[in-house]
Amino acid sequence: MTTSPSRLLGLLRGQSIAHKVLSSPATNLGLAEGEPFPFLAIVGQEEMKLALLLAVINPAIGGVLLIGARGTAKTTAVRSLVDLLPLRRRSLCPNGCTEEILDEAGLDGICNECAQRIGYNEPLTVEDRVRIIELPLNAALGDVVGGINERLALEQRRLRLERGILAFADGNVLYIDEVNLLDDSVTDAILDAAAQGFYTVRRGPLNLKYRSQFVLIGSMNPEEGNLRPQIMDRFGLRAVVRGLTDPEMRYSAYEQSITYRYDPDGMSAHYASETLILAEELQAARSRLSGVTITSEARKVGLGIIQKLKIDSGRAEITLFESARAYAAADERLVVRREDIDIVALMALRLRQSKGMAIFLQNQEQYDQKLQSLLMSDSNTHSHSQDARRDS
Ligand SMILES: [Zn+2]
């Protein structure tokens, strides 16, 4: 097919942009913590960039896991999303009350404090850009789910629960670097919240429920340990991030990183207009998404692959078809074609087969067969074949 890609996909694949060398003199020598590295300045890594953009277009994909060695720009890419994330209404209340809930469920749907705010004609939400919340590497369970405010408890003898990282992640992107090195209890809490969209904290007499809906992005370096299969399953897309192989591209990447190091603001300004266009195109894709349908051919191809791979988890279909819908929306279409399935299938379906589960099921099948033949021979000896034949 030779149709030209949409503006969004054109920007994503615009090698001319990635190869552009900045020649303007650096004005801002070595000042730390300026603008994030521009998404469009990342050289190569098309699969990672596509996976991240699809996850931003459609949260139903279930987030992204970036798999690759150190120094392959995984964290840089995630942080660079910050300029591309949408605006949204953010609740001012720890319980996540919004005007929307008020409209749907009335005063019963919101908490007492918010009911008071409504009484004073105060808003329950503010307009805010979706943020990227980074889970600190050494995060403990208490940081993640929250806990008793110990200062208040000691100084004022008052018992109050503090919100944890999961509550702050609500409505945002939660990024977990090196997710395979995380403590099991922390990972479980995050995945439960990701699955349910909320979590509860119980401490003594206190029992609070927090809303926690977020796009989960994880990264891992497989050299440093594996991910438990049930955690792997929770991630939607799996992008493999390889080091660049083309020497020219490696040189471009080197130039980009040096330019950014000495003049982050200049670099950001250089990419500002294209970044803005990309952000607008992403917003357009998001609003197009709800109208995107899947052709029966695309559906058949997708289901066929999943069946041939013998994948058990139903998350395979969710990620495959939702990412194909996001891709169609990014390409300014309202129909998913089979080519879209081909493009997202690797990212959606790799690392979905659980070896342990396959071995378990195989053993179980053998055992079941043995048991069944024992039952058959047993019933044969009792009823001399007639009934048994009718049953089979
Ligand atoms: Zn409230």
Side-chain angles (χ1 to χ4, degrees):
M1 206 160 291
T2 50
T3 50
S4 61
S6 66
R7 209 171 178 196
L8 195 163
L9 295 176
L11 274 172
L12 178 65
R13 290 171 189 161
Q15 287 301 330
S16 60
I17 297 169
H19 276 282
K20 205 175 281 172
V21 179
L22 302 180
S23 51
S24 57
T27 51
N28 188 3
L29 285 172
L31 285 178
E33 283 306 315
E35 297 286 332
F37 192 87
F39 185 84
L40 289 170
I42 298 170
V43 178
Q45 306 297 3
E46 216 177 273
E47 181 176 292
M48 166 169 68
K49 289 191 275 191
L50 179 61
L52 291 172
L53 292 190
L54 294 179
V56 167
I57 292 171
N58 186 1
I61 287 171
V64 184
L65 179 63
L66 307 175
I67 306 162
R70 284 169 177 280
T72 46
K74 301 189 294 289
T75 299
T76 302
V78 174
R79 288 182 182 155
S80 74
L81 286 175
V82 80
D83 291 327
L84 304 173
L85 295 173
L87 290 168
R88 56 159 196 136
R89 301 290 307 177
R90 182 169 61 82
S91 174
L92 293 164
C93 164
N95 304 311
C97 304
T98 61
E99 283 87 3
E100 219 175 357
I101 297 174
L102 179 70
D103 288 344
E104 275 169 25
L107 284 175
D108 288 343
I110 59 175
C111 73
N112 292 339
E113 283 79 23
C114 286
Q116 270 180 0
R117 278 191 197 131
I118 291 294
Y120 292 124
N121 240 338
E122 285 172 17
L124 304 185
T125 55
V126 285
E127 178 127 290
D128 190 15
R129 194 169 285 281
V130 168
R131 295 181 222 174
I132 297 166
I133 310 285
E134 288 189 42
L135 191 79
L137 257 183
N138 53 356
L141 189 59
D143 306 325
V144 172
V145 299
I148 290 171
N149 182 325
E150 288 177 10
R151 195 180 52 83
L152 271 183
L154 283 171
E155 291 175 5
Q156 305 180 19
R157 294 178 169 270
R158 282 202 308 170
L159 209 51
R160 200 168 79 192
L161 283 181
E162 292 288 303
R163 293 204 276 171
I165 293 166
L166 279 176
F168 287 105
D170 182 47
N172 292 309
V173 172
L174 180 63
Y175 175 52
I176 312 175
D177 193 15
E178 313 219 35
V179 59
N180 50 329
L181 302 184
L182 216 56
D183 194 64
D184 281 356
S185 62
V186 173
T187 321
D188 291 342
I190 293 169
L191 294 178
D192 281 351
Q196 297 174 5
F198 65 86
Y199 71 99
T200 23
V201 184
R202 290 185 196 84
R203 292 284 185 281
L206 300 176
N207 185 345
L208 280 179
K209 189 165 147 183
Y210 294 107
R211 228 170 60 121
S212 183
Q213 294 170 357
F214 49 83
V215 173
L216 183 63
I217 299 178
S219 75
M220 66 174 279
N221 176 359
E223 294 168 312
E224 291 175 350
N226 282 325
L227 208 53
R228 285 185 288 153
Q230 68 266 43
I231 301 170
M232 180 66 93
D233 184 51
R234 289 290 175 86
F235 284 97
L237 297 171
R238 302 97 196 287
V240 174
V241 192
R242 296 181 175 89
L244 299 170
T245 48
D246 175 39
E248 285 303 314
M249 284 176 88
R250 291 188 73 98
Y251 195 78
S252 293
Y254 147 73
E255 281 182 318
Q256 297 286 50
S257 81
I258 287 298
T259 308
Y260 175 72
R261 186 184 175 115
Y262 288 115
D263 189 12
D265 292 345
M267 192 156 182
S268 175
H270 186 87
Y271 283 94
S273 63
E274 270 143 346
T275 300
L276 198 64
I277 294 171
L278 182 58
E280 283 167 0
E281 293 297 328
L282 281 169
Q283 186 57 52
R286 263 190 297 273
S287 24
R288 209 174 286 127
L289 184 70
S290 63
V292 177
T293 56
I294 301 172
T295 59
S296 59
E297 193 202 1
R299 185 204 309 188
K300 225 166 92 186
V301 168
L303 291 174
I305 304 171
I306 291 171
Q307 194 181 26
K308 279 192 198 117
L309 290 174
K310 295 196 171 117
I311 298 171
D312 287 314
S313 170
R315 292 206 176 86
E317 279 87 351
I318 297 176
T319 298
L320 181 68
F321 290 125
E322 288 304 305
S323 55
R325 288 180 64 237
Y327 187 84
D331 200 25
E332 297 175 15
R333 283 182 281 117
L334 289 175
V335 174
V336 170
R337 302 190 293 229
R338 71 150 297 171
E339 296 92 314
D340 302 333
I341 300 284
D342 295 345
I343 287 167
V344 298
L346 262 184
M347 293 188 289
L349 300 181
R350 65 160 67 101
L351 296 164
R352 286 266 177 209
Q353 284 169 312
S354 160
K355 235 180 229 159
M357 191 48 89
I359 291 168
F360 170 83
L361 289 175
Q362 202 179 7
N363 288 342
Q364 195 57 42
E365 217 167 289
Q366 283 170 2
Y367 183 83
D368 287 358
Q369 275 168 7
K370 200 167 148 193
L371 186 66
Q372 222 142 28
S373 63
L374 276 174
L375 288 169
M376 291 275 274
S377 66
D378 194 46
S379 75
N380 280 349
T381 51
H382 280 299
S383 64
H384 284 282
S385 79
Q386 272 183 343
D387 296 334
R389 201 175 297 148
R390 203 182 300 144
D391 284 348
S392 72

